[in-house]
Amino acid sequence: MKTHLKQGWRLALKHFYIVILLFIYQLLWGFFLYRFIDSVVTPLLKRYPADGALNDSAVRLFFSEAQFQLMKTDLIQPYLWMIGGLFACRMLLTPLFNAGLFYSLHRADDAGGTKFIEGIRRVWKPVMLLYWLESLFAIAPAWWLLPRGLDSLLQSGTLSELLQTTLPGAIGWVLWIALLHLLFLAMQFGAASGNGPFHSLWSALRHLAPFAGLSLLMWAIGAGIALFVTGLSLVWAGLLALVAHQGYHLIRTLMKVWTIASQYDCLQSRTQE
């Protein structure tokens, strides 16, 4: 595992300009999503009762008016179209970046630098198809889990009772998404490398323990860094916390590329055995 981490780090540094590109992409996505949410939420909050008029009847009137506007008017339709357009753009752009990165990782030893743009041109179709299938299978359990979760929320008398009924399903859903991600990631590696998605899928299933173990380790490192930055922001609020918080997004993107490169090396070394 240590060998895969070192090789993944070497590949991540070699593709550092892709890290910068992904960082800018995530930054722009976060900015536009924030501006969209702000444009929706802020006008609603302006109608929330002020402190002097904050009582049960005023709050109930506020929520009744909001419910009426959402359910009985077409006020929400432009916002639904807007958020649908944002996520459609993300569903189109993310697999393109993935295709370029995965192909470039496979061609890392070739002369002439990275092959990011060439990878987008050559393998975007299978990578995008696999990415969409993964997303579809990942959200499929919501058709069964969300209605039952809503019923539990309305019928549960206490928080512990709510957790007892919803937590097993939520944990199962998270595990399902994690397993899907690993298997479809392997298939995208195969599509980008030319080995074929099903050949890489079989290799991932045969070596699932080291592949998943390495992934869990990298995810744990990323979660630890996130907790450290969050704790720093809470304890030392000020310029240092602001710099750490802004720099964290670049570190998170670097961690993501390092994780993918390590996963690729782990799977590729076993595919060649």
Side-chain angles (χ1 to χ4, degrees):
M1 185 174 294
K2 185 177 180 180
T3 303
H4 302 313
L5 293 177
K6 287 183 176 180
Q7 180 67 5
W9 179 252
R10 185 188 69 83
L11 290 172
L13 291 181
K14 184 175 182 179
H15 294 81
F16 193 73
Y17 85 91
I18 299 178
V19 173
I20 299 299
L21 182 63
L22 291 174
F23 167 69
I24 295 173
Y25 166 62
Q26 295 291 343
L27 191 66
L28 291 175
W29 164 255
F31 172 77
F32 284 114
L33 186 62
Y34 166 77
R35 294 298 300 171
F36 168 74
I37 295 175
D38 180 67
S39 67
V40 175
V41 174
T42 300
L44 294 176
L45 292 180
K46 288 180 179 179
R47 298 183 62 83
Y48 194 77
D51 293 340
L54 190 59
N55 52 59
D56 291 341
S57 60
V59 173
R60 285 198 299 268
L61 178 62
F62 170 78
F63 283 111
S64 298
E65 180 185 357
Q67 182 181 10
F68 176 82
Q69 290 183 347
L70 291 176
M71 304 300 295
K72 301 299 184 180
T73 70
D74 58 355
L75 176 68
I76 198 174
Q77 289 186 4
Y79 299 113
L80 291 178
W81 281 108
M82 180 68 71
I83 198 169
L86 286 174
F87 279 98
C89 290
R90 187 173 179 86
M91 291 292 293
L92 289 173
L93 292 176
T94 299
L96 293 180
F97 286 113
N98 290 345
L101 177 60
F102 298 162
Y103 183 87
S104 185
L105 289 175
H106 179 66
R107 302 284 183 174
D109 295 330
D110 292 358
T114 58
K115 308 290 183 181
F116 181 75
I117 302 300
E118 180 181 345
I120 294 177
R121 291 200 305 265
R122 288 180 176 270
V123 299
W124 70 270
K125 290 181 181 179
V127 172
M128 182 173 291
L129 176 60
L130 290 169
Y131 180 84
W132 287 353
L133 288 175
E134 177 190 350
S135 302
L136 179 63
F137 288 138
I139 64 175
W143 181 266
W144 182 80
L145 290 174
L146 291 184
R148 284 157 180 78
L150 180 60
D151 291 340
S152 300
L153 177 63
L154 297 176
Q155 297 173 5
S156 300
T158 62
L159 179 60
S160 61
E161 184 180 349
L162 176 63
L163 291 177
Q164 287 177 1
T165 55
T166 59
L167 195 58
I171 293 175
W173 194 5
V174 171
L175 294 177
W176 166 250
I177 291 174
L179 179 62
L180 272 179
H181 176 70
L182 292 178
L183 297 181
F184 273 91
L185 181 65
M187 295 175 72
Q188 291 176 71
F189 285 157
S193 65
N195 294 327
F198 294 107
H199 180 269
S200 294
L201 175 62
W202 174 241
S203 178
L205 291 172
R206 287 172 52 209
H207 306 98
L208 185 60
F211 185 44
L214 176 67
S215 302
L216 289 174
L217 175 61
M218 295 301 297
W219 293 341
I221 294 174
I225 295 175
L227 289 175
F228 173 78
V229 174
T230 302
L232 183 65
S233 300
L234 293 175
V235 174
W236 287 341
L239 180 60
L240 178 61
L242 179 62
V243 172
H245 183 73
Q246 297 300 322
Y248 164 70
H249 297 289
L250 178 60
I251 296 174
R252 184 183 63 179
T253 307
L254 178 60
M255 282 294 305
K256 180 180 179 180
V257 176
W258 183 16
T259 301
I260 292 173
S262 301
Q263 291 170 321
Y264 172 79
D265 186 72
C266 176
L267 198 61
Q268 189 69 13
S269 62
R270 285 164 172 79
T271 304
Q272 295 174 351
E273 291 177 356

